[in-house]
Amino acid sequence: MVDAVQDWSPAEFEKHGAEVLAAIREHFEQIRQVPVSRPYDTRVLLEEFEGPMPDDGEEFTTILAETREKVVPNLVQWNHPSFFGYFPTCASFPGVLAETVTAALNVNTMLWKTSPAGSAVETVVLRWLADLAGYHTDADGLLLGGASLATLFALGAARDAALGPEVREHGLGSAGRLRVYASDQAHSSVEKSVIALGFGARNLVRVPSDAHYRMRPDELDAALRRDLAAGAKPVAVVATVGTTSTGAADDLAALARVTERHGVWLHVDAAYGGFYRACPSLRDRVEDVRVGDSLVVNPQKTLLVPLDSTALFCRREGALAQSFRLVPDYLTSERPAAFDYMDLSPQLGRGFRALKAWWVLRTFGRNGLTAHLERSVEMADALRESAAAHEDWTVVGTTPYPLVCLRYTPKRDGEPLPRHARDQLNAAIAGAVNESGRAFVSHSVLRDGYVIRVAVGNARTTPADVRALWRLLTTTAEAQYADQRF
Ligand SMILES: *Cc1c(COP(=O)(O)O)cnc(C)c1O
């Protein structure tokens, strides 16, 4: 038997660490010069990496070199200033370094006693995040690996609040029809949660949205009344602040009047839009999330914290623990703590996810982060104005956030293109922009067709990058239209 696993010595760690830091520095110094994405062939890419696991350990120099040569170029560069797809997840340097420290310490924050300062920092970070979002700073909360999980757990807690503690013992057998309500624009994670919780996708009631893609409170009220009259059990309403397709924000005050009338839990999915209320210039244009019984926000999307970083809050005191607390003999604490984070979700072992958020929030401060958010909004507004002023382009949707949905709508013989041709043309434009490697956009399909989505939010993006994107979009659109038969 060998004495110990042959890990690197601390000195070797420092040496390789310096190599890695130099590689990261170079990566960021060159990021403007590399393509945002590259065309790939799945089979060829897999072959690149295929092969058995090595029997004997390899030199780190080889591993690092192959990472730089084969892995990095074949990624989509989410840190690129011309990445405008989905929602940006921009990694700031303090966040990147904190990930290394988190891995080095490798503590498990499941119990207060298993990493006291880990739980303490998480508690403070959650309070700061709640404050930035304009939510109750004394709400229960925890950090999770994604908004989808947060919504799943929030709806689990809402279910138990609706059905009472007996459901933990007896399950859903006699619970009847459990219903969840969300607009036709809500994120797919709501439907996934409803499926995972055993309610059945048919029990997700899709409340129609208005012309601006906001949930209609009158339709919600009607749906709740119909269901209650028919003996169904409403579990929760999920409102969205910053929908994925267009960045629409549901009217929370109006929805809260409806949920309060019927005594139904209001979960606010503000994964994208949750922090803009911290910006003085936007305060009056964005929704007040305090009415939510629970709230999910994603620092990984807008606060420069690297993936993954999501916060779930719940102002119904004790509701998360009511659903998820279960303490086996091997996890009791001699000295009762304020609480243990394992009590607030089904997850037991959990990393020290708070450290990177703590570093980032302290490095930039409230003013630094709100300036970043406001700057993104200004750049997006400039793009929106350019597109609105162009006769062949249409801006779709209404949002206070830095998300611009665009559609190329040229006329042919004075007539608009039929929807099918227009959708194909716009998909071809988005595809060609991404293939160029000069920018990256994503898309969505709304009730009136395909749109190109441009989300501004990378810390390295400048107004010149947004202008370059606009030129790329217009020249690509004209070339596609001239070139192909739409
Ligand atoms: C991004 C987003 C989600 C999903 O978030 P994940 O962290 O990727 O699970 C859910 N809802 C909204 C509104 C979002 O913007």
Side-chain angles (χ1 to χ4, degrees):
M1 197 171 82
V2 294
D3 290 343
V5 175
Q6 295 301 300
D7 196 357
W8 299 339
S9 68
E12 280 170 311
F13 174 78
E14 187 177 357
K15 174 174 165 285
H16 294 321
E19 291 159 12
V20 170
L21 286 186
I24 294 174
R25 173 182 170 166
E26 234 173 83
H27 172 71
F28 280 101
E29 280 175 346
Q30 293 173 359
I31 195 133
R32 280 186 175 280
Q33 279 78 54
V34 304
V36 193
S37 69
R38 292 212 307 205
Y40 60 87
D41 178 314
T42 303
R43 208 169 41 85
V44 173
L45 198 53
L46 277 171
E47 276 166 11
E48 233 2 287
F49 296 101
E50 215 114 55
M53 175 180 161
D55 286 328
D56 297 310
E58 295 182 73
E59 284 299 322
F60 181 65
T61 317
T62 315
I63 301 169
L64 180 60
E66 281 195 23
T67 304
R68 300 187 70 182
E69 284 156 24
K70 291 190 189 176
V71 178
V72 179
N74 287 305
L75 299 170
V76 174
Q77 308 303 329
W78 285 64
N79 286 317
H80 198 292
S82 292
F83 179 91
F84 299 103
Y86 309 100
F87 289 122
T89 59
C90 182
S92 59
F93 284 127
V96 174
L97 279 187
E99 284 282 38
T100 306
V101 175
T102 301
L105 298 172
N106 200 32
V107 294
N108 190 328
T109 57
M110 58 188 182
L111 302 175
W112 197 279
K113 78 166 183 182
T114 59
S115 51
S119 293
V121 170
E122 181 158 349
T123 305
V124 168
V125 161
L126 286 163
R127 207 173 294 146
W128 291 353
L129 291 174
D131 189 42
L132 270 181
Y135 197 62
H136 311 268
T137 51
D138 58 350
D140 293 342
L142 78 165
L143 294 175
L144 290 166
S148 302
L149 287 179
T151 290
L152 174 67
F153 302 158
L155 292 182
R159 173 199 62 197
D160 298 356
L163 298 178
E166 313 79 61
V167 69
R168 279 180 61 132
E169 292 305 313
H170 303 296
L172 295 177
S174 58
R177 280 176 85 194
L178 302 175
R179 307 277 269 177
V180 172
Y181 307 77
S183 88
D184 51 24
Q185 299 297 305
H187 191 264
S188 56
S189 56
V190 180
E191 185 165 350
K192 278 199 186 184
S193 298
V194 167
I195 295 168
L197 290 165
F199 306 164
R202 284 186 186 185
N203 287 311
L204 172 60
V205 181
R206 292 290 191 172
V207 180
S209 55
D210 65 16
H212 302 285
Y213 297 103
R214 293 176 306 208
M215 192 190 321
R216 285 183 50 184
D218 58 331
E219 292 277 2
L220 173 66
D221 191 51
L224 280 163
R225 283 176 196 280
R226 268 196 309 274
D227 280 354
L228 286 165
K233 184 91 200 157
V235 165
V237 172
V238 182
T240 312
V241 171
T243 61
T244 312
S245 288
T246 65
D250 291 338
D251 180 346
L252 294 184
L255 296 182
R257 281 194 291 278
V258 177
T259 54
E260 274 162 28
R261 189 177 307 141
H262 298 290
V264 177
W265 183 298
L266 179 61
H267 174 62
V268 177
D269 179 358
Y272 171 54
F275 293 114
Y276 286 89
R277 210 173 148 81
C279 301
S281 67
L282 299 172
R283 215 178 148 73
D284 301 333
R285 293 173 58 197
V286 300
E287 291 295 314
D288 181 349
V289 296
R290 268 178 310 180
V291 291
D293 292 288
S294 50
L295 170 75
V296 51
V297 287
N298 256 7
Q300 72 189 26
K301 275 185 178 148
T302 50
L303 292 190
L304 312 180
V305 182
L307 281 165
D308 41 29
S309 181
T310 289
L312 170 63
F313 295 105
C314 179
R315 73 181 165 115
R316 290 207 188 185
E317 200 184 336
L320 290 170
Q322 164 85 33
S323 287
F324 300 118
R325 183 176 149 84
L326 183 76
V327 186
D329 294 334
Y330 42 83
L331 292 175
T332 54
S333 296
E334 305 71 34
R335 215 154 36 108
F339 61 94
D340 296 317
Y341 275 100
M342 72 162 183
D343 291 348
L344 302 185
S345 87
Q347 190 178 14
L348 175 59
R350 51 203 303 283
F352 188 2
R353 207 178 254 130
L355 189 74
K356 60 186 169 185
W358 195 55
W359 282 26
V360 171
L361 296 178
R362 294 184 58 176
T363 300
F364 295 97
R366 174 184 272 267
N367 292 338
L369 291 171
T370 54
H372 161 63
L373 297 177
E374 285 175 331
R375 198 173 158 270
S376 304
V377 168
E378 278 168 34
M379 288 189 279
D381 283 348
L383 174 66
R384 206 177 276 120
E385 279 161 30
S386 303
H390 195 300
E391 60 175 1
D392 290 339
W393 287 83
T394 307
V395 177
V396 183
T398 314
T399 177
Y401 307 115
L403 169 65
V404 188
C405 286
L406 297 174
R407 187 179 285 146
Y408 186 52
T409 47
K411 299 270 194 324
R412 186 162 50 207
D413 309 327
E415 291 294 319
L417 297 183
R419 159 137 182 208
H420 181 66
R422 198 188 66 196
D423 282 359
Q424 282 196 327
L425 172 57
N426 278 274
I429 296 165
V433 164
N434 291 349
E435 262 169 43
S436 78
R438 289 160 58 197
F440 192 95
V441 295
S442 60
H443 70 274
S444 189
V445 180
L446 299 167
R447 55 174 87 105
D448 61 353
Y450 187 101
V451 284
I452 300 170
R453 278 174 84 268
V454 177
V456 182
N458 194 294
R460 293 170 194 85
T461 303
T462 64
D465 292 317
V466 177
R467 286 194 295 273
L469 171 71
W470 175 235
R471 282 195 300 277
L472 179 61
L473 280 168
T474 50
T475 52
T476 307
E478 282 153 27
Q480 288 291 321
Y481 192 44
D483 203 38
Q484 302 190 26
R485 300 277 109 231
F486 290 104

